[in-house]
Amino acid sequence: TCMLTLDITAPDGRKVFTKRQKTRLDGRPVVIPFSIADPQLWSPSSPALYRVTASIGEETVTDSVTVRTGFRNIQVTTGFRSIAAPPAGGFAINGIRIPIHGVTLYHDNAISGGAVLAQDYDADLQQIRDLGANALRSAVMPHAQYLYDRCDEQGLLVWVDSPLHR
């Protein structure tokens, strides 16, 4: 048993949720329900990211992990009315239809080969933005977490090919 603390911080730095509870860490998931009144929603034009930190320890923190996430409502609908009419469906974030213009990003480049560094990802993302793309497909398997963090910050949509096959 230990003291578990969950803190959620808004994009502007305000703490919007805190909960401390005694928890038994026995390999089963720990569930802490929460809600945030009127959250600032993530979108490509306004990539608002919250910080979620889980820590353990009574008097002092003995371990912690922090992730950043955006709250959003994603809808994908289909709607084929006729060949002459445009489709009624599409991809929407927070109720706003977003046309997706994307590229595929592989795990190497001409300069560093397969050892892609942070500056390589930054250069790739700049090129992707210069092309006018708002999405990227991470081909074959996941990239480094650095890339996905930058995509979240820059409002880029990402599709990751799952490396898991049955």
Side-chain angles (χ1 to χ4, degrees), residues 75-81 85-92 96-99:
Q75 295 175 304
V76 178
T77 57
T78 59
F80 185 76
R81 294 181 290 205
F91 181 84
I96 298 169
R97 188 165 186 233
I98 308 227

Side-chain angles (χ1 to χ4, degrees), residues 8-87:
I8 302 176
T9 305
D12 65 6
R14 289 178 299 111
K15 198 165 279 190
V16 293
F17 180 85
T18 297
K19 178 151 187 183
R20 290 176 53 89
Q21 71 181 42
K22 282 275 192 194
T23 302
R24 180 182 203 134
L25 298 178
D26 58 4
R28 289 183 281 188
V30 176
V31 177
I32 301 176
F34 70 90
S35 67
I36 297 172
D38 196 27
Q40 185 177 347
L41 299 178
W42 184 98
S43 71
S45 61
S46 178
L49 295 172
Y50 284 74
R51 263 190 359 263
V52 180
T53 302
S55 55
I56 56 174
E58 285 279 345
E59 303 294 321
T60 60
V61 172
T62 57
D63 197 10
S64 70
V65 64
T66 299
V67 295
R68 293 181 318 154
T69 191
F71 299 111
R72 65 207 98 182
N73 178 331
I74 297 174
Q75 295 175 304
V76 178
T77 57
T78 59
F80 185 76
R81 294 181 290 205
S82 75
I83 292 175

